[in-house]
Amino acid sequence: MTNQINPTDPGLDRLVSECFCGGEIGVRELRLSSEQARRLAADYPASQVRPLGDSWYEIRFQGAFQNGN
């Protein structure tokens, strides 16, 4: 199953909440359009949105565990 935001779906907050389990998961890879990634980065200033290629983005919320650091 892929996590993909429907561009006409106004429920971005709900999708982010579902994908990140209410804050329990801090890092996730989502397939997004460039506009969706831009909106996510703008709407969630504590997040990092890093393109991975082929419409996939790594979404990382501030304070998420990163490679043992």
Side-chain angles (χ1 to χ4, degrees):
M1 180 174 107
T2 62
N3 298 310
Q4 188 169 0
I5 296 173
N6 181 335
T8 60
D9 180 6
L12 181 61
D13 291 333
R14 183 175 56 91
L15 179 65
V16 170
S17 179
E18 288 175 7
C19 289
F20 287 91
C21 298
E24 295 173 8
I25 297 174
V27 179
R28 191 75 143 201
E29 292 178 2
L30 302 176
R31 190 168 192 163
L32 308 168
S33 71
S34 59
E35 174 62 19
Q36 293 163 333
R38 186 200 62 73
R39 282 184 38 225
L40 189 90
D43 291 349
Y44 296 89
S47 67
Q48 296 175 359
V49 179
R50 183 173 65 102
L52 300 173
D54 198 29
S55 297
W56 285 95
Y57 292 83
E58 179 186 79
I59 312 302
R60 180 179 301 273
F61 280 90
Q62 184 176 15
F65 184 74
Q66 182 176 1
N67 297 328
N69 297 328

